[in-house]
Amino acid sequence: MEIKLAKTAGFCYGVRRAVDMAQTLADSAKPSAMLGSIIHNDHVIDRLRSQGMAVCASIDELPPRCAVLLRSHGEPKAVHDALAAGGWEVVDAACPNVTRIHTLVREAEAEGRIPLIVGDPGHPEVQAIAGWCAHGVVVDGLSGLEDWLFGDPARRELPLTMVSQTTGQSVAWKSCVEFAKKVCTNVKIFDTICNATYARQEEAMALAEECDAMLVIGDPKSSNTARLAELCRARHVKVVCIPGASELDKTQFTGLAKVGITAGASTPGWIIKEVYDIMSDENNFEIEESFAEMLEKSIKTLHTGEKVTGIVTGLTPTEVQVDLGTKHACYIPLNELTDDPNAKVEDLVKVNDEIECFVVRVNDQEGVVTLSKKRLDSVKSWDDIEAAEEDHSILEGVITEENKGGIVASVRGVRVFIPASQSGLPRGADLSTMLKQKVRLRITEVNRSRRRVVGSIRAVEREERDAKAAEVWESIEEGKVYEGVVKSLVSYGAFVDIGGVDGMVHISELTWARIKHPSEVVNVGDAVTVYVLSFDKEKRKISLGMKDRSQDPWTLFNEKYAVGSVLTAKVVKLMTFGAFAEIVPGVDGLIHISQLSDHRVEKPEDVVKEGQEVTVMITAIDQENKKISLSIRALLEEAQADREAEAAERAAEPDEVVATSDADATTVAPAFAEEAEAPADAE
């Protein structure tokens, strides 16, 4: 028969902590007593009692002025108040996870919310939790939650804060959470099931799936032991529950091929060993061989700065919970796990991972230890940093702060200073824009004794740029098209980065239109498409073009205009000999100074101004040299000739006689006087 033992069987850190505190108190010279059993395991309680630790069922049974040990399940606030009023010295062995729930329900009620506690109403832990609020409601699982919420429809509208017994069944708790989210309109939910409980239950269910029977070791009064048995039975395997080796009957497993063993959180290792040895008929199971050795391991003292190894037992968005095998609840805050502000805990570690870290802070009074993986990684990373300086390798980091004269990056937990000149930004740029950015850098200086490291982002960018430039020069050819970025502007053009190499786009190659400055077309940082006009590899110069060659303005001009065409043009430039006017974008014509007016002009600006639109006639087109002559004078003279011709035509016509009476008819033009008098003479 194969025997398989669950890795998480036995004491959790909360129980270890309670037993440790009990042992320390029993070893002291002062009178002491337990107020109820500190854990649900008669074997442990009997051993402590044999060492002189009294067990009292109520405050009335406590000896006067003795040290009172409170159980790991916690006690109601009323008990704490009564002990303080009676002058007893209190040693609180409550599990830190339980104490946290006390705080949650107390704060919830202070906020005007109703604490909703999911758990066994008769369990001492649940009774203690309810004792830290005045109006808490205890429901036993999903059916109890449904009964309470539907008992009065108004309850579904109440502000609720829902917590769970630490040893609750994970499946049942999830059902309650899903139901509450659907039904309640104002509920805050805190998953307070102990991560060690989660791990133990998940492992027990997985073990039950592959075994023919499950042997569950634990005291019958233990809630988490009972739940382990219940979960295993749900996997349709034979389940045998025993408190210890003396109750074991091996014949119950006769004929089975594989038997799994698990144990509740209150079961000490020496009991598990006894059962395992009997089941396997061997004595090679390495576990605590005595109660004293078990205690020695559980009371291991942690010191700040110590390197420790533990098992990840739980994850939240802000921390990692770790079991170090001691009495403490151990946590790694997110900011002590990584420097990456965008990192997610679940992407960095997994439950059941083994993890090395540093002890940052120990709070023995609360049983909490703060750990740091980042700081341990920092120590390990110094070798990597020094090696990177020697072999000139590139490292990645995150900018964490702006410093006088530069910025600081965290590289594998090591603080690296980057001078402003090596940041890769232009001089005078705002360095704060780089905060929280991932960067690639090269280590330029390491002084381990002074814990000083200097790095350069610019060096990496320069090397990468040089590599890209080499690729460009290797494949460059006239007419090749590149996607580039405008790096700078000057009066005569724009410099464009085409991948590690800057090329010049002359102002005349930016657009067909006449412009005074490149900023009329592009700005620094613009993404542009350019093509190679010419290049000189020896001088490392590239001439680029940007205007569309497929739309030749001269062709467009010829399609639309000819000599004699009259059009409206825009004066774009004044010279001493005349003015240039734009006919179509990219094609200008010259209005010679002699053609600006029908009279003598001293200076072109006396007649026209830049930007002015004028009506001109095309008087000549030089197709070979692409030159166009324009004239305003030709239009003026043509207009004058038209006016003179019209006047001459009018002068050649007889004057019209207009008379309304005989008296009026005597007033006629001299040219027609004889004709007017002729009829009279004829008579």
Side-chain angles (χ1 to χ4, degrees):
M1 179 170 58
E2 180 184 354
I3 306 298
K4 193 162 185 178
L5 177 67
K7 294 179 181 178
T8 54
F11 277 2
C12 65
Y13 62 79
V15 172
R16 284 195 185 97
R17 176 175 180 269
V19 174
D20 166 30
M21 297 172 77
Q23 184 64 43
T24 301
L25 203 55
D27 291 341
S28 67
K30 66 176 68 173
S32 58
M34 287 182 280
L35 184 58
S37 299
I38 59 164
I39 64 171
H40 280 157
N41 191 288
D42 289 342
H43 293 281
V44 174
I45 300 303
D46 290 343
R47 287 185 180 240
L48 288 171
R49 186 185 282 113
S50 68
Q51 295 179 4
M53 174 72 71
V55 181
C56 301
S58 66
I59 294 178
D60 295 337
E61 298 178 11
L62 291 173
R65 293 182 299 279
C66 73
V68 179
L69 180 69
L70 302 184
R71 55 191 172 181
S72 61
H73 300 106
E75 292 289 353
K77 184 177 184 300
V79 172
H80 285 263
D81 293 342
L83 291 172
W88 281 284
E89 177 188 347
V90 175
V91 180
D92 191 358
C95 172
N97 287 335
V98 175
T99 304
R100 174 173 173 258
I101 304 177
H102 295 172
T103 302
L104 288 174
V105 298
R106 184 176 68 249
E107 291 178 348
E109 206 159 63
E111 295 171 1
R113 308 183 69 85
I114 297 176
L116 189 56
I117 306 161
V118 180
D120 179 1
H123 195 280
E125 178 191 320
V126 175
Q127 293 172 346
I129 295 171
W132 283 89
C133 51
H135 306 289
V137 177
V138 178
V139 295
D140 187 7
L142 180 59
S143 60
L145 179 61
E146 291 174 339
D147 291 343
W148 186 77
L149 287 174
F150 287 117
D152 182 351
R155 291 171 180 167
R156 284 171 277 175
E157 309 295 328
L158 295 173
L160 305 174
T161 293
M162 194 163 82
V163 298
S164 171
Q165 180 180 341
T166 60
T167 55
Q169 191 181 101
S170 60
V171 176
W173 165 251
K174 290 176 182 177
S175 298
C176 291
V177 169
E178 291 175 2
F179 178 75
K181 287 180 177 179
K182 292 178 183 178
V183 173
C184 301
T185 61
N186 185 3
V187 59
K188 287 185 178 180
I189 299 172
F190 294 91
D191 188 351
T192 53
I193 293 182
C194 175
N195 285 291
T197 299
Y198 266 128
R200 184 176 284 104
Q201 291 178 358
E202 293 293 326
E203 187 180 9
M205 289 188 287
L207 196 56
E209 293 283 358
E210 61 177 280
C211 294
D212 301 311
M214 286 294 295
L215 180 57
V216 182
I217 310 170
D219 194 287
K221 297 186 296 297
S222 169
S223 173
N224 65 80
T225 300
R227 283 189 172 82
L228 288 175
E230 180 182 347
L231 291 170
C232 290
R233 288 192 185 97
R235 267 58 193 169
H236 306 292
V237 297
K238 181 176 182 178
V239 177
V240 176
C241 299
I242 58 171
S246 60
E247 292 82 14
L248 176 61
D249 179 5
K250 284 187 64 176
T251 61
Q252 293 178 291
F253 306 99
T254 301
L256 300 180
K258 183 186 288 189
V259 175
I261 299 178
T262 187
S266 300
T267 307
W270 56 270
I271 290 181
I272 300 173
K273 173 179 170 53
E274 286 181 351
V275 174
Y276 182 88
D277 286 346
I278 294 173
M279 287 292 294
S280 62
D281 294 323
E282 297 177 6
N283 191 23
N284 59 2
F285 176 40
E286 294 183 5
I287 198 166
E288 296 91 346
E289 294 187 357
S290 68
F291 186 62
E293 289 181 2
M294 179 274 295
L295 286 175
E296 183 179 352
K297 291 186 178 182
S298 70
I299 63 174
K300 175 184 175 183
T301 302
L302 297 174
H303 302 283
T304 300
E306 181 181 359
K307 185 175 79 171
V308 293
T309 300
I311 301 296
V312 176
T313 59
L315 307 174
T316 75
T318 58
E319 66 186 16
V320 176
Q321 297 161 6
V322 180
D323 184 1
L324 296 180
T326 70
K327 63 181 181 179
H328 306 89
C330 306
Y331 303 92
I332 306 175
L334 179 59
N335 63 346
E336 291 293 346
L337 184 67
T338 177
D339 278 324
D340 187 352
N342 300 315
K344 295 182 179 180
V345 173
E346 60 270 22
D347 294 336
L348 302 176
V349 293
K350 306 294 182 186
V351 172
N352 294 326
D353 281 357
E354 186 174 87
I355 190 168
E356 281 189 314
C357 40
F358 265 150
V359 176
V360 177
R361 188 182 306 107
V362 179
N363 188 331
D364 281 318
Q365 183 175 359
E366 296 184 3
V368 175
V369 174
T370 303
L371 305 172
S372 174
K373 181 178 183 297
K374 185 178 70 175
R375 300 190 194 187
L376 179 61
D377 291 342
S378 173
V379 173
K380 291 182 176 180
S381 295
W382 273 98
D383 291 339
D384 296 336
I385 294 291
E386 290 178 333
E389 182 197 20
E390 293 177 4
D391 59 24
H392 303 288
S393 58
I394 296 174
L395 300 177
E396 289 188 349
V398 176
I399 303 301
T400 57
E401 62 179 283
E402 181 184 3
N403 206 339
K404 183 178 181 181
I407 50 180
V408 175
S410 177
V411 180
R412 301 183 185 181
V414 177
R415 191 173 182 272
V416 179
F417 174 68
I418 302 168
S421 62
Q422 299 301 312
S423 67
L425 295 181
R427 179 178 297 180
D430 184 4
L431 296 177
S432 65
T433 59
M434 297 188 69
L435 291 176
K436 297 184 180 181
Q437 287 187 14
K438 283 186 177 181
V439 296
R440 302 172 75 243
L441 53 85
R442 191 179 298 288
I443 302 300
T444 58
E445 178 187 340
V446 178
N447 188 326
R448 194 162 186 170
S449 61
R450 295 179 58 191
R451 302 188 68 80
R452 172 180 168 81
V453 183
V454 180
S456 172
I457 299 172
R458 181 183 176 187
V460 175
E461 292 179 346
R462 183 171 58 246
E463 291 171 11
E464 292 177 343
R465 182 178 177 84
D466 290 345
K468 291 179 179 178
E471 293 179 8
V472 170
W473 284 114
E474 185 177 345
S475 61
I476 195 169
E477 58 185 28
E478 289 187 8
K480 188 170 183 177
V481 177
Y482 290 94
E483 297 298 324
V485 177
V486 178
K487 302 299 289 185
S488 63
L489 300 178
V490 290
S491 60
Y492 51 85
F495 286 96
V496 177
D497 181 358
I498 58 174
V501 179
D502 286 352
M504 160 63 73
V505 183
H506 191 268
I507 189 169
S508 63
E509 292 296 333
L510 285 169
T511 176
W512 288 110
R514 182 185 290 271
I515 57 174
K516 292 183 177 180
H517 194 273
S519 59
E520 297 178 41
V521 180
V522 294
N523 294 306
V524 173
D526 284 356
V528 294
T529 300
V530 294
Y531 49 87
V532 178
L533 294 175
S534 62
F535 60 91
D536 187 331
K537 288 188 176 182
E538 291 184 1
K539 295 182 179 180
R540 296 288 181 176
K541 291 184 177 180
I542 302 175
S543 177
L544 302 172
M546 206 174 89
K547 58 187 182 182
D548 188 354
R549 294 285 179 182
S550 65
Q551 295 184 352
D552 186 349
W554 188 258
T555 301
L556 297 176
F557 164 77
N558 282 322
E559 291 175 353
K560 191 172 182 180
Y561 300 107
V563 173
S565 296
V566 176
L567 57 109
T568 300
K570 182 180 180 181
V571 177
V572 293
K573 191 173 185 180
L574 298 179
M575 306 294 288
T576 56
F577 52 83
F580 286 97
E582 183 182 65
I583 302 171
V584 294
V587 177
D588 296 344
L590 173 64
I591 312 172
H592 192 270
I593 191 169
S594 64
Q595 298 299 314
L596 284 171
S597 180
D598 56 359
H599 61 271
R600 181 177 178 78
V601 176
E602 295 293 334
K603 295 181 293 183
E605 53 265 37
D606 292 340
V607 181
V608 293
K609 297 179 180 179
E610 286 190 12
Q612 179 181 346
E613 290 188 345
V614 293
T615 302
V616 296
M617 175 188 287
I618 298 176
T619 58
I621 300 175
D622 183 347
Q623 293 288 351
E624 183 177 351
N625 296 307
K626 295 185 177 181
K627 292 182 178 180
I628 304 167
S629 297
L630 303 175
S631 175
I632 297 174
R633 178 179 176 177
L635 294 177
L636 293 174
E637 289 177 345
E638 185 178 280
Q640 179 63 28
D642 290 344
R643 287 195 296 273
E644 290 176 356
E646 184 180 351
E649 184 178 346
R650 286 200 305 269
E653 295 177 356
D655 287 346
E656 184 177 351
V657 179
V658 180
T660 58
S661 65
D662 293 341
D664 291 336
T666 60
T667 306
V668 296
F672 297 95
E674 292 181 0
E675 293 181 12
E677 296 174 352
D681 293 341
E683 286 183 10

